[in-house]
Amino acid sequence: MSDRLSEFGYSFQIKIITCLLKSKEFLQQINDILDDSYFENESNQFLVSTIKDYFIKYKSQPTAEVLKVKISEISDEVLKKSVVSNVKDALKHLDAQ
């Protein structure tokens, strides 16, 4: 069995990030077993790490404003643009079942 989610594709990984942002219950259940290294690119890893760290500290998912502040702290412009793009992709799925 693979320790990475790359075999399921980018869309699946984005939907996991969407679930982390959308469902506190899902985040609580998966927080201990989900590792950011399972994600194939650095921007998804950053998002998962940020969401998990915020949840551990505040027992809640980060808001869009929190993500904006965390993204603004990234010094690598390429990574910053990639993270912004992935957040936009994740937010597109927020209304999905």
Side-chain angles (χ1 to χ4, degrees):
M1 180 144 150
S2 176
D3 287 343
R4 298 185 61 85
L5 297 172
S6 58
E7 64 188 72
F8 299 106
Y10 172 80
S11 180
F12 180 78
Q13 294 176 52
I14 289 297
K15 289 176 183 174
I16 289 177
I17 292 170
T18 301
C19 289
L20 294 174
L21 291 170
K22 183 178 180 178
S23 173
K24 183 177 180 179
E25 293 79 21
F26 178 72
L27 183 53
Q28 284 176 314
Q29 292 174 355
I30 201 167
N31 188 42
D32 292 336
I33 59 171
L34 183 66
D35 189 51
D36 57 353
S37 67
Y38 296 163
F39 292 80
E40 67 182 323
N41 62 45
E42 190 177 356
S43 57
N44 283 348
Q45 292 172 358
F46 172 83
L47 285 171
V48 171
S49 176
T50 300
I51 293 166
K52 287 178 63 178
D53 291 346
Y54 189 88
F55 180 76
I56 290 168
K57 188 170 183 177
Y58 299 106
K59 303 298 182 221
S60 178
Q61 300 101 310
T63 63
E65 291 80 22
V66 170
L67 289 177
K68 184 177 179 182
V69 169
K70 295 292 186 183
I71 292 169
S72 72
E73 296 172 355
I74 300 172
S75 59
D76 182 351
E77 289 300 317
V78 174
L79 175 60
K80 186 183 289 189
K81 287 180 183 181
S82 180
V83 170
V84 168
S85 174
N86 290 1
V87 168
K88 287 179 182 178
D89 288 346
L91 294 178
K92 288 178 189 174
H93 297 288
L94 274 181
D95 293 332
Q97 291 296 322

